[in-house]
Amino acid sequence: MLHPSPERFRAALGRFATGVTIVTTRAADGAPVGLTVNSFNSVSLQPPLVLWSLDVRSRALAAFTHATHWAVHVLGAQQQALAERFARRDVDRWAGVPWTANAEGVPLLPGCCAYLECRARSRYPEGDHVILVGEVLRCQHDDGAGALLYHGGRFFTAAP
């Protein structure tokens, strides 16, 4: 069976506009871990389930595959710099970034459009990624916040 090249496949997927999230948890040593993710989606309303995927080469893989809880932050229009920071590999993503811990100790970033605090439920290795499914324990949102979007390798903003 023939497959498209990874570059061609990535370019085709880039035509699909997505929201931008940062997913956070804690490492085994308690250090905060977080990364920018646009492979986020809802799964179920009853029970409330969401999923996202993580490259198996990610340095954050161990933290997320062993985490009992994690949080998804839906980024607002004004948070492009934060999205770019948490997408980089060559910086301390958390240096100077304010955050608080939720009841389970998961880092929460301020000023997001929405938050989904999750209990890790399932993990599925598929291809070069792991699909992580979480049960939403708590969520909140800001009706007046504009969204940060990603399309064709660029960020865009949308009004509410």
Side-chain angles (χ1 to χ4, degrees):
M1 175 185 293
L2 294 176
H3 292 108
S5 70
E7 296 79 19
R8 188 173 187 87
F9 185 51
R10 180 183 295 254
L13 291 175
R15 305 316 325 148
F16 181 66
T18 66
V20 183
T21 68
I22 292 176
V23 183
T24 60
T25 193
R26 289 279 184 97
D29 65 1
V33 176
L35 61 151
T36 301
V37 171
N38 68 346
S39 62
F40 168 75
N41 211 336
S42 61
V43 175
S44 169
L45 291 176
Q46 292 296 325
L49 302 175
V50 296
L51 67 76
W52 61 285
S53 63
L54 180 61
D55 192 312
V56 296
R57 298 168 298 177
S58 172
R59 286 182 273 174
L61 183 65
F64 282 105
T65 57
H66 293 100
T68 60
H69 295 82
W70 35 264
V72 178
H73 305 73
V74 179
L75 299 187
Q78 77 289 358
Q79 293 180 301
Q80 179 176 335
L82 193 63
E84 291 169 341
R85 178 186 192 106
F86 275 77
R88 292 185 60 188
R89 295 186 177 121
D90 59 344
V91 299
D92 176 357
R93 295 173 178 163
W94 295 93
V97 175
W99 59 275
T100 57
N102 71 4
E104 292 78 27
V106 175
L108 297 178
L109 301 166
C112 297
C113 284
Y115 301 88
L116 299 107
E117 300 173 52
C118 302
R119 178 182 60 81
R121 184 170 167 129
S122 309
R123 293 171 201 89
Y124 303 99
E126 288 293 339
D128 59 6
H129 278 65
V130 174
I131 299 166
L132 297 110
V133 178
E135 182 175 359
V136 179
L137 303 176
R138 292 175 295 280
C139 64
Q140 58 182 308
H141 67 279
D142 178 354
D143 283 331
L148 182 62
L149 305 174
Y150 194 72
H151 178 263
R154 295 180 27 215
F155 288 101
F156 296 87
T157 57

